[in-house]
Amino acid sequence: MTYRILGGTIAAALLASTAIAEEVRVYNWSDYIDESLLEKFESETGIDLIYDVFDSNEVLETKMLAGGSGYDVVVPSGTFLQRQISAGAFQKLDKSKLTNLDNMWDVINDRVSKYDPNNEYAINYMWGTTGLGVNVGKVREALGDDAPIGSLDLIFDPANMEKLASCGVHFLDAPVEIIPAALAYIGEDPDSQDPEVIAKVEPLLTAVAPYVQKFHSSEYINALANGDICVAFGWSGDILQARDRAAEADNGVEIEYNAPSEGALMWFDNMAIPVDAPNPEGAHKFLNFIMDAQNMAAASNYVYYANGNEASQEFLEEDVIGDPAIYPNADTLENLYTTSPYGPKVQRVVTRMWTKIKSGT
Amino acid sequence: MRRVALIAVPYAWLLTLFLIPFLIVFKISLSDMALAIPPYTPTLNDGLAALIAGLDFENFVFLTTDDLYYKAYLSSLQIALFSTLMTLLVGYPIAYGMARAPQEWRATLMMLVILPFWTSFLIRVYAWVGILSNEGVLNQFLLWLGLVSEPLTILNTTTAVYIGIVYTYLPFMILPIYAALDRMDDSLIEAAEDLGCSRLTAFWLVTIPLSRNGIIAGCFLVFIPALGEFVIPSLLGGSGTLMIGKVLFEEFFNNRDWPVASAVAVILLLILIVPIVLFQRNQQRQAEAEQ
């Protein structure tokens, strides 16, 4: 009968362990946190933290709309947050549990309330701009010393792209990032929802697409840092991380980030709790932990993105808070625009156009 | 009674793991998209009558209005077909070599063919990124040899997709061909040569026909998964690589249009049914021939 006793003991042990170990499952963007914070959260709260990453809003959104994702905290960007709120994917925050809420920055809260009225469903995690990551040496070699590294001319002028093709250009694989930039470049409203206006950028993008080595939303960090590519149209902090990785590797690669002079998309990534989160209690604890001024500062110092936490600013390092590529000054701030979500009909037009641009069919 | 129970097992398997999932996908392909969880209507919650009333073939009609879809199907067929041929050209000599090797080596050789399966498929495909990239191992080697003066762009092109598919599916081609060649009686070759055949003619007239079933099985085992392949084109392919797996992903993730994505999947299945039925028939014929 030994095996029975043994079986019973194992079952009891399993039951006990499931009863004791509390879990919080977080689904965040890749390369988007100082991982020592994850251990700190576990040791402070005794909660097991399961941390998964994604690299596209679309993947997250599909999980949210399918339901039963099993995550307690997810991090959608502004327009995606707005759409998922209207689909009923999130639960309202219990603000009584979020004692660090006063640390938040009203300027950013205000901007995010465009997507989440009264900030009922989400807190801002980080924000940034979409712009040009440039391997200065290689681009100057290809285009000469007066290469337009701060202007969209660099990537939307086919003559420049033709010369850059051999050293490698990556674009984000996200029409919601590229199309507004192309609209700004031709002098249209970047937030246009009119299919006819959006269609105007198709010839422009079709002309440069053959020179784009890859449309991808996370590979460019390493590719830029290793010197595999010379230009990436991507997210500010990712490019700044590439700059740092290159500097650490000391491989002679010098990366620079510029928000385009024609205007840059300003985006916000926000933490929200899915409506069917298994552990909403733990999710609130995680949010509160993240809103702690020092924790948030540690995260920003690590990933080079600005955050929506005013109290954290005194703990930010000078090369973060003092860098206008991360915390834009008043002038650049004026040059930033935001966008709204596309409706399903416009979305289909946009995706179709995007496929056509990328594959030539 | 026992026979019925025995037959019921494979049918229950087919029903729960193929037919029911297929019917669910087919049902979604007849629905309309919605901003909700799940993102389509009608669902069973609306009641069975409303569910049936809300179904129509609109999404299938939509697929015919845009040339993207048929181009993607055709291009996938082309990629699957060519990579199957290339896998055959690479796999056959390997299988032949294995079958001809001394008996005591064969187990080791077999092991070497199976060994890559011990590593995750994703990691093996990703390893090719490191090999094929501009700064990768292959280009460094070619530059060192002096064969090329600047790195070849292979990664993010359709060539890289072919390399990835041939590499990944090679064991599926080698194993059935090896099994067929292994069973072959060597004295048949001797007989052919005694009757005046050259070695090449003997190979062509005796070995190839006797390994025919292995070749057919191998080709289907490569062609069928290659047609719907998603991981290889998205990791190794570039923007010019059009495959139905990627189109399906975009419908599902970027457009959030589950109904159209399901319609694409249903048609893909219909395309695959033809080779699958042919494969089954071949297997059956082979089994009968052996009895």
Side-chain angles (χ1 to χ4, degrees):
Chain A
M1 296 303 278
T2 337
Y3 68 95
R4 244 192 215 172
I5 297 166
L6 199 66
T9 324
I10 290 170
L14 278 175
L15 276 176
S17 68
T18 49
I20 292 167
E22 185 186 349
E23 281 181 354
V24 173
R25 290 167 187 263
V26 176
Y27 197 39
N28 196 0
W29 291 80
S30 53
D31 301 291
Y32 213 31
I33 202 163
D34 176 354
E35 298 205 346
S36 68
L37 283 174
L38 307 179
E39 285 158 33
K40 189 177 171 196
F41 175 77
E42 288 190 324
S43 63
E44 268 181 20
T45 60
I47 298 174
D48 276 343
L49 182 63
I50 294 159
Y51 188 82
D52 288 341
V53 298
F54 58 92
D55 79 343
S56 96
N57 267 311
E58 286 80 8
V59 169
L60 170 64
E61 182 154 280
T62 303
K63 281 195 198 257
M64 288 300 106
L65 295 184
S69 68
Y71 290 109
D72 298 301
V73 176
V74 296
V75 192
S77 308
T79 55
F80 289 84
L81 173 69
Q82 182 175 0
R83 189 163 39 221
Q84 288 155 36
I85 289 173
S86 26
F90 298 123
Q91 51 182 282
K92 283 189 182 168
L93 299 176
D94 181 349
K95 294 191 176 175
S96 67
K97 290 175 186 155
L98 302 174
T99 50
N100 287 332
L101 210 53
D102 289 340
N103 290 343
M104 298 305 284
W105 192 4
D106 50 0
V107 175
I108 299 300
N109 278 348
D110 210 43
R111 294 225 177 193
V112 174
S113 65
K114 175 180 176 183
Y115 309 108
D116 172 20
N118 302 322
N119 305 104
E120 279 188 309
Y121 289 92
I123 59 154
N124 178 255
Y125 177 57
M126 291 194 194
W127 55 275
T129 54
T130 307
L132 301 158
V134 169
N135 180 330
V136 185
K138 278 197 176 177
V139 167
R140 293 232 162 99
E141 201 177 292
L143 294 179
D145 283 341
D146 55 351
I149 58 171
S151 158
L152 290 173
D153 272 335
L154 186 72
I155 55 164
F156 288 152
D157 181 348
N160 287 335
M161 283 293 282
E162 195 179 352
K163 290 178 195 151
L164 291 171
S166 60
C167 67
V169 180
H170 277 200
F171 276 20
L172 289 172
D173 189 10
V176 292
E177 305 276 349
I178 311 291
I179 288 171
L183 284 168
Y185 182 67
I186 61 170
E188 292 285 350
D189 174 14
D191 193 20
S192 176
Q193 303 282 318
D194 179 352
E196 280 176 28
V197 175
I198 294 173
K200 286 185 186 172
V201 304
E202 193 182 321
L204 171 77
L205 293 173
T206 309
V208 298
Y211 306 118
V212 177
Q213 192 191 80
K214 192 159 197 175
F215 292 88
H216 196 278
S217 301
S218 54
E219 268 179 24
Y220 64 94
I221 305 182
N222 278 327
L224 260 185
N226 297 338
D228 279 338
I229 59 170
C230 59
V231 174
F233 189 65
W235 293 306
S236 49
D238 284 7
I239 289 162
L240 295 169
Q241 283 175 55
R243 179 190 69 183
D244 264 52
R245 285 187 200 174
E248 271 166 31
D250 201 14
N251 54 4
V253 172
E254 187 202 334
I255 306 294
E256 195 177 306
Y257 174 77
N258 285 301
S261 54
E262 292 85 348
L265 175 68
M266 186 184 191
W267 46 259
F268 306 89
D269 289 338
N270 315 286
M271 291 190 161
I273 305 176
V275 69
D276 52 7
N279 183 4
E281 192 75 26
H284 280 88
K285 282 184 195 158
F286 184 78
L287 259 49
N288 208 38
F289 172 83
I290 284 294
M291 285 191 290
D292 174 85
Q294 299 206 28
N295 292 341
M296 197 59 233
S300 278
N301 284 334
Y302 191 83
V303 299
Y304 293 96
Y305 279 107
N307 62 53
N309 191 310
E310 196 171 13
S312 77
Q313 292 179 2
E314 63 172 299
F315 303 107
L316 289 177
E317 279 161 20
E318 188 48 36
D319 70 338
V320 174
I321 186 96
D323 187 342
I326 303 174
Y327 279 89
N329 50 30
D331 282 352
T332 13
L333 210 55
E334 224 167 82
N335 209 10
L336 302 178
Y337 56 82
T338 57
T339 54
S340 336
Y342 295 127
K345 286 243 162 61
V346 186
Q347 180 70 54
R348 175 161 281 288
V349 172
V350 164
T351 310
R352 180 65 186 90
M353 192 172 106
W354 190 239
T355 312
K356 206 166 168 183
I357 289 165
K358 284 195 298 179
S359 63
T361 36
Chain B
M1 201 51 214
R2 250 180 85 184
R3 245 182 95 183
V4 176
L6 218 57
I7 294 171
V9 174
Y11 277 97
W13 176 275
L14 202 65
L15 190 74
T16 47
L17 295 176
F18 175 75
L19 203 59
I20 292 177
F22 173 75
L23 287 176
I24 293 172
V25 170
F26 186 59
K27 191 250 130 194
I28 298 174
S29 75
L30 302 178
S31 311
D32 295 308
M33 72 184 287
L35 189 55
I37 301 175
Y40 55 85
T41 56
T43 60
L44 258 182
N45 300 344
D46 306 332
L48 198 62
L51 182 102
I52 292 165
L55 302 178
D56 57 55
F57 284 90
E58 184 183 44
N59 297 310
F60 290 92
V61 176
F62 174 77
L63 294 187
T64 62
T65 59
D66 192 329
D67 58 2
L68 168 75
Y69 301 100
Y70 88 84
K71 278 185 181 162
Y73 283 119
L74 280 183
S75 141
S76 302
L77 278 171
Q78 187 191 339
I79 290 176
L81 210 63
F82 278 122
S83 32
T84 306
L85 281 178
M86 284 189 279
T87 316
L88 178 63
L89 288 178
V90 178
Y92 198 95
I94 298 178
Y96 187 77
M98 281 168 67
R100 289 276 142 150
Q103 189 68 45
E104 64 268 26
W105 290 10
R106 291 191 193 171
T108 320
L109 291 173
M110 178 73 107
M111 191 70 172
L112 288 176
V113 171
I114 299 173
L115 205 61
F117 284 112
W118 292 9
T119 317
S120 150
F121 165 62
L122 200 62
I123 291 174
R124 281 183 288 135
V125 176
Y126 206 81
W128 279 100
V129 175
I131 298 172
L132 299 175
S133 81
N134 280 3
E135 312 283 320
V137 182
L138 180 67
N139 270 312
Q140 294 299 334
F141 182 64
L142 291 176
L143 286 170
W144 178 76
L145 281 181
L147 282 175
V148 293
S149 55
E150 50 184 88
L152 299 173
T153 305
I154 305 173
L155 187 65
N156 302 334
T157 65
T158 308
T159 313
V161 176
Y162 282 120
I163 295 175
I165 294 179
V166 171
Y167 162 75
T168 309
Y169 293 117
L170 195 57
F172 296 108
M173 184 63 87
I174 295 176
L175 295 178
I177 297 178
Y178 170 74
L181 289 173
D182 193 38
R183 262 179 306 195
M184 201 177 81
D185 191 346
D186 282 345
S187 57
L188 292 172
I189 300 281
E190 279 168 34
E193 285 177 6
D194 287 346
L195 292 169
C197 271
S198 71
R199 295 198 77 162
L200 201 66
T201 334
F203 175 75
W204 193 247
L205 290 179
V206 179
T207 314
I208 295 270
L210 282 175
S211 55
R212 194 177 134 256
N213 285 326
I215 295 174
I216 294 174
C219 286
F220 282 120
L221 287 177
V222 174
F223 178 80
I224 293 168
L227 187 63
E229 187 54 58
F230 169 71
V231 173
I232 298 172
S234 51
L235 250 52
L236 302 178
S239 48
T241 316
L242 187 65
M243 282 193 82
I244 200 68
K246 277 172 89 180
V247 170
L248 217 155
F249 182 90
E250 264 165 20
E251 284 301 336
F252 196 62
F253 286 88
N254 295 39
N255 286 340
R256 292 172 296 281
D257 196 335
W258 290 24
V260 166
S262 305
V264 171
V266 167
I267 294 190
L268 179 63
L269 194 84
L270 292 180
I271 296 175
L272 279 175
I273 276 181
V274 179
I276 289 172
V277 167
L278 287 176
F279 177 62
Q280 282 298 343
R281 197 173 290 170
N282 178 60
Q283 292 290 88
Q284 216 164 8
R285 211 180 297 154
Q286 192 184 342
E288 278 161 15
E290 274 166 21
Q291 269 169 14

